[in-house]
Amino acid sequence: MRNFISVRDVSDLKKLLERAKENKANPFENLVLGKNKTMVLLFFNPSLRTRLSTQKAGLNLGMNVIPMNVSEGWGLEFEDGTVMNLDKAEHVKEAAAVISQYADIIGIRTFAGLKDRALDYADRVIRQFATYASVPIVNMESAVLHPLQSFTDLFTIETYKKKERPKVVLTWAPHPKALPQAVANSFLEWMQKTDYELVVTHPKGYELAREFTAGCTIEHDQQKAFKNADFIYAKNWSSYEEYGKILSTNPDWMVTEQKMALTNNAYFMHCLPVRRNVVVADAVIDSKRSLVIEQAGNRAVAAQTVLEKLLEKQNS
Ligand code: SN0
């Protein structure tokens, strides 16, 4: 694995899942793999789980980890050939190359701006870092994708599923803020690698980019979608069509006990952070069927498994 930017960087997903299982059972078996290796984690946006779990994953492999909030450094320029006489002090060409002098792996978190769809969907920040860094790049949520989250989600479903082909439902839920599509896009990208029964439900106008929903069942009636589901994965995203807009805050789309009662006693999943009683009712997230804390715990397992792959490639 050269970089970890999307599921396309994974050559053998089955093996990766097996490795994650081993890492969960024995997290400290590979403490020498990352000895004398440094990972720099760059945060253009806030993070709680990603920051701590990726750092912990590095520490479990014996790595040194240096997190940095980019806002504490120079403003970075990503435009090629531009005259840098405005506010940006340093080009990504230098920044990525310089950080590569200190780091053996670089993690990047950068949210979609939600103003210019073409710019966001070019995933420029992470792609430019991958171009100009001389070390592997790990996606800690980019404008388009959040693969560490999705690997975690797949691993969690694999752990809890009771049948070979569970019914997995991705449901849109309301939110007061315009949020990126990254978690939903990435979730679908990873789920498409399985033979699960996959259903996406959202109000009209919230269609995700076709490249992620091709082959998915789209059901605009949320209650119908929930019928016999084994896993309910809730997430808000802003509109892709009317890019970055909030088209609805309809509270009828919140995940409630009544709706969970339509399912096959489904587990409830969410990547967190979650707005209680907007996205999901307390009674659901606090129930025994809620996997959100387990999911968050698995973030460290997923990150460690990915870092192992990158380090093994470097050492070979
Ligand atoms: C981010 C998102 O992509 O939806 C990160 C999720 C892992 N979520 C938020 O920014 C939520 C912010 C809020 O105010 O609720």
Side-chain angles (χ1 to χ4, degrees):
M1 199 189 286
R2 168 72 182 90
N3 294 307
F4 183 73
I5 294 178
S6 87
V7 74
R8 271 163 276 173
D9 294 308
V10 178
S11 56
D12 191 335
L13 186 52
K14 204 165 162 247
K15 269 210 188 118
L16 202 71
L17 285 163
E18 277 163 19
R19 192 67 169 269
K21 200 171 166 192
E22 286 161 19
N23 282 335
K24 179 144 180 160
N26 298 303
F28 307 115
E29 291 236 305
N30 230 343
L31 262 167
V32 286
L33 185 66
K35 192 168 185 284
N36 296 332
K37 300 270 185 182
T38 299
M39 176 163 66
V40 170
L41 303 178
L42 295 180
F43 292 90
F44 288 84
N45 297 98
S47 168
L48 186 144
R49 274 150 295 280
T50 300
R51 183 166 184 144
L52 296 176
S53 63
T54 311
Q55 182 151 354
K56 182 174 158 70
L59 295 174
N60 284 0
L61 294 168
M63 301 186 85
N64 304 307
V65 188
I66 308 175
M68 178 176 176
N69 299 332
V70 178
S71 58
E72 289 162 7
W74 302 110
L76 292 187
E77 178 62 63
F78 291 90
E79 200 67 54
D80 226 1
T82 191
V83 178
M84 288 173 60
N85 60 358
L86 295 172
D87 55 328
K88 303 286 170 27
E90 180 154 17
H91 202 280
V92 63
K93 287 186 182 179
E94 283 77 48
V98 168
I99 297 165
S100 304
Q101 302 295 305
Y102 315 134
D104 300 283
I105 293 178
I106 303 174
I108 313 270
R109 159 156 294 203
T110 175
F111 286 167
L114 296 177
K115 289 191 177 73
D116 180 335
R117 185 167 93 177
L119 186 68
D120 281 349
Y121 273 71
D123 230 355
R124 191 169 69 163
V125 173
I126 194 141
R127 297 281 166 201
Q128 296 255 35
F129 265 97
T131 302
Y132 297 117
S134 54
V135 299
I137 297 295
V138 174
N139 187 342
M140 299 195 298
E141 185 171 353
S142 68
V144 188
L145 298 169
H146 195 357
L148 284 175
Q149 181 64 50
S150 314
F151 175 27
T152 301
D153 298 335
L154 176 56
F155 175 65
T156 308
I157 294 174
E158 282 292 298
T159 309
Y160 279 87
K161 74 175 191 190
K162 291 194 184 62
K163 50 169 97 110
E164 207 41 54
R165 256 189 105 233
K167 179 175 174 183
V168 176
V169 178
L170 170 65
T171 180
W172 181 91
H175 200 285
K177 254 173 71 180
L179 297 186
Q181 295 102 29
V183 171
N185 288 343
S186 205
F187 182 75
L188 294 180
E189 197 170 65
W190 285 68
M191 289 300 128
Q192 303 259 25
K193 296 278 169 198
T194 71
D195 58 1
Y196 300 166
E197 184 185 347
L198 184 58
V199 177
V200 187
T201 182
H202 55 71
K204 290 208 169 101
Y206 279 100
E207 286 69 22
L208 292 160
R210 282 234 184 82
E211 59 181 296
F212 299 108
T213 53
C216 290
T217 305
I218 314 280
E219 172 57 71
H220 291 116
D221 181 337
Q222 191 192 32
Q223 308 225 7
K224 223 163 144 190
F226 272 44
K227 287 218 176 88
N228 290 318
D230 298 296
F231 293 87
I232 297 294
Y233 195 101
K235 182 70 183 86
N236 168 268
W237 60 87
S238 60
S239 176
Y240 175 76
E241 283 304 320
E242 291 186 54
Y243 193 64
K245 292 224 167 72
I246 297 176
L247 308 177
S248 161
T249 50
N250 186 350
D252 291 350
W253 276 81
M254 179 168 78
V255 179
T256 60
E257 268 185 309
Q258 288 82 350
K259 286 180 203 165
M260 291 302 283
L262 301 169
T263 68
N264 180 29
N265 196 19
Y267 288 105
F268 173 79
M269 297 177 74
H270 190 281
C271 64
L272 304 182
V274 72
R275 304 289 189 118
R276 281 175 172 260
N277 302 312
V278 178
V279 169
V280 57
D282 281 341
V284 175
I285 191 169
D286 292 332
S287 78
K288 286 208 176 69
R289 306 301 287 175
S290 171
L291 295 180
V292 296
I293 304 302
E294 171 103 15
Q295 260 175 286
N298 284 341
R299 289 292 309 274
V301 178
Q304 184 172 337
T305 307
V306 166
L307 294 178
E308 261 180 5
K309 284 275 161 223
L310 297 172
L311 289 169
E312 279 167 6
K313 173 93 193 284
Q314 257 177 4
N315 288 351
S316 68

